[in-house]
Each structure stands twice: as C-alpha cells, then as structure tokens.
Amino acid sequence: MPVRAWNPPLQQEFGEDFCKLLIAIRASWNTAHNPQVRLFVEKWVPGAIVPDRRTLSGPILDREVRKVEDKLKLKLRGRKATFQTDGWKNKAKQAIVATMVSVDFEPYLMRTHDVSMQPKTGEALLNLVVEDIKWSEEIYGHTIIGACSDDGGDARKMRRLLLALMPWLIIILCWAHQINLIVGDYLALKLPFQDCVPKALNVIKWMNNHSRALGLFRQEQQYTYQRVLALILPVLTRWTAHYLSLRRLLTVETPLKVVWLKHNDTMIASAGSKSDEQAKAAAVKGVIEDPKFWHHVRMTCRHLEPLAIAANITQASNTRLYHVLTTLANLHRIYSNLDLEEDLDDPFIAAVVLNPFLRGDFLGRHIALTPIGLCNMLKRLHSRVFRVAVDADFQAAFMDYYNKREEFSPDAMALADWADVAGKKGQEANPVEIWEGIDTGEDTGRNHLTKLAIHILSVVANSAGCERAFSHMGLVHTGIRSKLGVEKVRKTTMVGMDIKRMHLEAGLLRTRGKRSFTQAGEQESGHELECEPKCELSDLDIADASDLLDFNQLSEVLIAGAASANDDKDVGDDDELTPPAPPLRITIPPLNSATLTHQATQVKKTSIPLKTLFKYPTDKDPPPDGMNSFWRGGIQNLETEMEAYEILCSDSSEENLEGSNIEILAMQVGVD
C-alpha cells in the first residue's frame, strides 16, 4: 500500500477527526494508547500519527470546541432564546449546575459549574444565572426572552428574584418536573391497589428469565393474536416505563392466563428442580390467576394514564406554554379536582389566545377572558416584555384577530395549508412560523400584536434540554472516567452534541423531529394490540438500564420530590431579598420616548382558577377540539414510546444493545 504524504495540515486534520471519532463512539481518551488501535492505524493509515491522549483532550479538543462555538454564533445571533438551568450530581458526587438556551426549540449547552462548595441558596443560584444570561447574550448574540428551572427551594427563590430583577423575562418552572411531582403526590396516597405494581414486575421478570415458559407464552400469543408482544421490564428510571409495563401486561392477559392453564406442570418445571424455585413459580401462577390482581392493575393504569400522557407532552423539547395549559385543562377534566391556578399567569393564557389554531375559542366565562379583558391582558404583557406602551391600533388589531378578520382570518393566515404541510411531515404546525409570515417589520400598533405573538409562542415550557445534556454527560463522565474535570466533560459533551446534529442534518441518523401533539391517536381507554414498532431505540434514555429499578424505590424518589416541592419555604428566605448590586449588561429592546416607568414594568398576574378558565364538557359531550387536539397527539406519542420499549425488550434487538448502540440509546428524552 503506497504511503500517503502526511504534511502538517493533513496530520492536524487526522488528529481532529480522530478526536471526533472517540467522542462520537464514547471512547476513552486512553483509547489512543491502545496497542491494537495503533496497529490498525499503522496497517490501514500508514504514515498517520495517532495523537496522545493529552493532546487529544487538550489542544485538539479545544480547537473543536471553538469550531462549535463559531457555528453557534452564526446560528443563534439575533434569535429569541429560552434560558434553562438545572442541577446534576456526577459520578464523582460533584454538584453540577448546567445552563442552556433553547432556540427554535433546539437546546444548546452553554456552561457548567461545579457548585459543590457553594451554598445552595436562591441568591447563589441567581448570581450564576444572571452571569450566564449576560455571558450567553454577549458571546452568541441571541436575546433571552424567558427562563425556566425546576421547583427546588433554591431554584424557586432564584426565579422569584430573577423576575424582580428582570420583569421583562417570562419566568416559568419546568412543567415536565411538575407532572412528576403530581405523580409523587398520587403515590404518596399509598392506595391499597398500588401493591399490584411490584407483583406485576415480578411476573414479568420471572417470565422473561425462564426461556421454556417464555417460549410457550409466545406460542400462545401467536395462536391468539398472530403476533408476539414482548413483556416490558421497566429497567429505565422513568416512571412512565412502569405504566407502559402494566399496560402491556393487560394487553397479553388472555394468552398469559391460557398458557398457565394449558401447561401448568411444564411452566412449574421450567423453574428447575429446586423446591424454592418451584415455589416462586407457583407464586407467579397465583398472581396470574388472581382476579383481584388484574382489577388492581386496571385501576392503576386508569389512574396513571392521564399523567403519563401529560408527562409525554410536557417533556418534549418543543413544549410551549399553550401545550402546558391545555394539558392541565385535560387533567382537570379527567380528575375533576386538580387545582393549579397559582402558576397560570398571563403568558400561559396569552399563548393559548395567540395560537391561531386555538384563539381561546374554548375559554370559560370570566371577565378577564372576554375580548376586552384578553386585550387588556395582552397590552399589559406587551408593556412588560417590551417595556413600550401600545397605541389604539394594537387593540384594533387584536379585535380583528379575535374575530378572525382581515390579515388574521384563517384563509389569510393559510392555516389549513400550514396544518397540511406539517401533517405530511408528521409534525405539528409551528405557530411562530405563521406569525413570522405576516410580520411586516414595522413598528406599528398592528404589528406589535404580531411581535408579541412571536415572543410568547417562542418560550419553551420546560428544562428538558438540561436533562438531555446530563444524559450526554453521564456517558462521558462514567465510573471509570470519573476523574475527568467538569470543564473537559462540558467540552466533550458540546462537541458530541454538535456531531449528532451534523449526523442528523446529513441524514446519517433517522431524525426524531419535533414531537407532534396534533396527530390523531388512540382513544383514552380500551387499548387493543399496539401497532408494529416504528420508532428508534434512541428515543429512550437508558443510561441506567443496567439496574432494574424497584417501583417502591422509584415511588419514594417521586414522593420525596413532591414533599420537598410542597414546602413553601424558599432556600435562603431568611436572607435579605435584594438583587445583585452591579448593573447588568444584557440585551433589551431599544428604549424610546414611549418607554414605561419602572413601576409600570412590575409583573401583574391574572389569577383565574383552572376550573373556570375553560369551558369543560359535560360527561356526555366530548372535549372541545382545541382542548383535545394536543391531548390526542400525546396519546399517539405515548404509543410511540411503547413501540420503543417493544424494540428494547424484544429478542431481536438484544444483540444490538452492545457497544456504541447502548450509548446512543441514552441520549434522548429522559426527563424525571
């Protein structure tokens, strides 16, 4: 084989590509010193020099990070961004706070901070957040329009202080986290029938661990359904995995009962000759034959299904404020006593009103929800986020929009065409793009409504991007690589996320796309056999897939989280509630003679109880289309999650869970 001429530029390019290769396959930097790697390069790439690990993780990695930063500067400049922050504890037990921005519903990692030695107070977190907001705007040129965090004591106080310091920001808590807290409140009730969950998991584990019994069960499924469904063992740390596991068990209830009835002796014998193993088999049989067990499983599924749908909707990277509010409306409709009105302020209601597919057609009877009341709410919101008063043209524009006239009519906005194009892609029509399509760029009253709509509808309603970044970091900072520094992990993660984006853009990976919440889905109950799997394993976060998570342990985690959130005291509340003294250099809308006073920019909320916010249907009537459209899509997306578990648990995929594939699986969706 002819030896290639390796000049310095070519050698540098080889080193950079080798660095990206190690990052993409989640290999250790020490891989560069593996003798087999060097033998491979000497044989197939003669003349190339494999850089040592210090060079790869030092200057070469730094160059790759600068390339990513340069790309992001071009991509993010001038865009509206939602700031996100969350905390994580790595393998070295260091407390890490990550900050990200979501632009066009795509999350981008900004900074990570080791706060292990710092006080866990709202003031400390506020200083970090303010500094990173200023830094990210100065470096990347985007404009932060909102900020989101979970509801921990320090984060709760940080949001309150940040709102007082920067009232023009839309400050929200992470609603993916909030749904989990609701689940924690439910599990804390310790209802008697919840004991069916560990029993069900024991049945599933026993069946999957005994090949002869499993073979007979599959044979019975083939005879009954003409296909075989896998029993799902919830090895993931997402509570929805337990719900889907129970639901799958209900789906195969009949063949499971029949196989034990037909082959009782064989099923017992498959456990082995030891008496204790046969006793376990007999216990499994007793559970399967117990009608009370199946009744309890149905009750648990019926209780958890709406929350599982809500979790699916609220944890997506493109979850917006109107998704959250319509989801809460459906939870109230189903559970009838959900009371969450304390956090339903103007931006959430405005997002429902300013979505041209909704326009608040199903809002309830309340003075603040009349056309004039809504217009006043939007005026107040515009004055808050832009710090500029609106004129009479704004009200005229809103009344035309509310009544679907002029440039705001469905035909003029081409809503049917937008929905049709998005539907063919399996996506939800993006209302931001629709409003941008009629943005004249003028500084007029009518166009101020368009600007406000784009602003409000661009806010992301969760910090799921941070969770996904932590999934990446968890694959870099492993038990055997726990000595990697926090900054090196951030750099590696940043390059790794960029590599994945490039692979998706080049069509080398099947894109998941944005979740669609407007697809027609299954009915809320009476699920039949699930459709064939048609999604990728990368939809699942299985960073902890090696450990079977006990449901009682998971319950305690969720219950503890809910109990902590129910404590109204913010961390550091005994301290002085004063914002940082130094002035902040952050991007804000240009001020003019119409600028409002500081007093006028103070946040004023519209407090409307959830039970009166919408027109809820009676027991005999279906929910309104606007309220139910995203809910149907959430059901469909939950089916997609079921399909991914089907692939994960099927025999045909077991051999594919080796090597780098297991790492790819852990990169998406895990929000708890």
Side-chain angles (χ1 to χ4, degrees), residues 7 25 60 70 92 108 139 162 170 190 200 203 247 332 375 456 492 497 509 523-524 529 574 615 627 639 650:
N7 54 40
I25 65 175
I60 294 180
D70 289 341
Y108 299 94
I139 296 298
L162 185 62
I170 306 299
K190 303 286 187 181
V203 169
R247 227 192 70 192
H332 178 82
C375 185
I456 297 300
T492 305
M497 295 174 73
L509 292 175
Q523 297 300 315
E524 294 176 30
L529 288 177
D574 295 333
K615 299 174 184 175
M627 180 185 297
E639 297 303 311
S650 64

Side-chain angles (χ1 to χ4, degrees), residues 82 84 102-107 176 311-324 327 355 422 426-432 456-465 468 512-519 630 637 668-669 671:
T82 302
Q84 302 173 337
S102 178
V103 177
D104 295 330
F105 311 107
E106 181 73 27
N312 189 282
I313 294 173
T314 56
Q315 70 188 13
S317 61
N318 60 325
T319 297
R320 291 170 246 208
L321 301 180
Y322 58 81
H323 288 133
V324 171
T327 295
N355 183 327
Q427 299 176 359
E428 173 193 342
N430 184 355
V432 173
I456 297 300
L457 296 174
S458 295
V459 176
V460 176
N462 60 40
S463 56
R468 294 183 178 92
R512 293 179 60 246
K514 299 295 186 290
R515 294 196 191 189
S516 171
F517 300 118
T518 56
Q519 298 173 4
F630 307 124
N637 287 331
Q668 295 288 335
V669 182
V671 179

